[in-house]
Amino acid sequence: MSVAIREPKRLSIMKKLGVKAPGSFDSLPVYIQGRFPEGMRKDTKRVVFSGSAFGKSRRKDRIVNQQVHYIQFLQDQGYEVVFLTGAKSNPAKDDEEFIDLLREQLPNLPVVEAKSLDEWLTVIGRAGLLVSARFHHTIAAACLGTPFITLNSNTPKINGIMEMFQEHKPIKYDVPDLEGQ
């Protein structure tokens, strides 16, 4: 069996644990370059939320309330806000839970359930902004030239990718003033 680690943060952790594995990178940028070489026209008034990645947090209510507050702030400013989900074979259960919790307070929150990789990439590529805690969503946004805000995740992957991109650390889900960040 062969192991390759996709970002520097995890590679460092694994080396400290004595695991010998080469650094590598995800194949998503290669796919994007082949399918979307020119990028996409942005809808600057569309904000795409995706990927909850809050795992087994005991602060789910607080996290959801903060996200609802931020979504309402964006909507009040005239932005269209949608939540992106979708996976061909294994939908993320925490995304489904997060959407259900958001919809308790925002029953009309539009959800785009991408049916293909190209549809998923197109939604991210055309967004004026992506707000996410997911590794692949962040890579896709960076490769497609979509501005993005990363939120903390339940693994070190997001911190690692942000270090690799030389970007700011992820914002905590429940930061009191997300719209001011």
Side-chain angles (χ1 to χ4, degrees):
M1 180 165 81
S2 156
V3 174
I5 300 172
R6 299 180 291 190
E7 43 74 29
K9 189 116 187 145
R10 275 202 163 165
L11 183 59
S12 174
I13 291 168
M14 296 309 279
K15 283 184 179 180
K16 286 178 185 174
L17 293 172
V19 174
K20 294 182 179 174
S24 70
F25 197 68
D26 202 88
S27 60
L28 185 57
V30 175
Y31 180 83
I32 290 171
Q33 186 177 28
R35 297 284 291 175
F36 303 96
E38 303 299 318
M40 292 181 210
R41 184 178 42 90
K42 306 289 181 220
D43 179 350
T44 58
K45 287 302 229 176
R46 185 174 222 211
V47 179
V48 174
F49 278 71
S50 68
S52 61
F54 59 44
K56 298 180 185 342
S57 174
R58 293 180 305 233
R59 302 179 325 224
K60 286 182 185 176
D61 288 341
R62 186 173 170 191
I63 291 168
V64 169
N65 288 337
Q66 179 56 32
Q67 294 299 295
V68 166
H69 177 76
Y70 185 49
I71 289 168
Q72 289 173 327
F73 169 79
L74 291 168
Q75 290 172 332
D76 289 346
Q77 301 300 312
Y79 289 92
E80 173 196 13
V81 178
V82 300
F83 196 98
L84 173 63
T85 189
K88 191 170 186 176
S89 57
N90 295 312
K93 297 291 184 209
D94 54 346
D95 278 359
E96 293 172 3
E97 178 187 4
F98 194 51
I99 291 167
D100 289 344
L101 292 170
L102 288 172
R103 280 194 160 162
E104 286 177 10
Q105 296 181 57
L106 299 168
N108 297 320
L109 178 68
V111 175
V112 176
E113 189 172 334
K115 302 290 186 216
S116 69
L117 179 57
D118 283 354
E119 180 183 3
W120 177 79
L121 288 167
T122 299
V123 171
I124 294 171
R126 290 190 177 151
L129 176 68
L130 173 77
V131 180
S132 180
R134 294 282 191 199
F135 183 74
H136 286 104
H137 293 73
T138 303
I139 292 171
C143 291
L144 293 165
T146 300
F148 57 91
I149 295 172
T150 55
L151 301 170
N152 61 309
S153 184
N154 56 357
T155 72
K157 293 185 293 188
I158 289 291
N159 287 347
I161 197 77
M162 295 305 283
E163 283 179 22
M164 197 167 83
F165 289 154
Q166 298 179 339
E167 293 285 345
H168 297 287
K169 288 183 177 182
I171 298 170
K172 293 186 183 224
Y173 260 104
D174 57 354
V175 66
D177 182 23
L178 187 58
E179 62 272 8
Q181 300 292 316

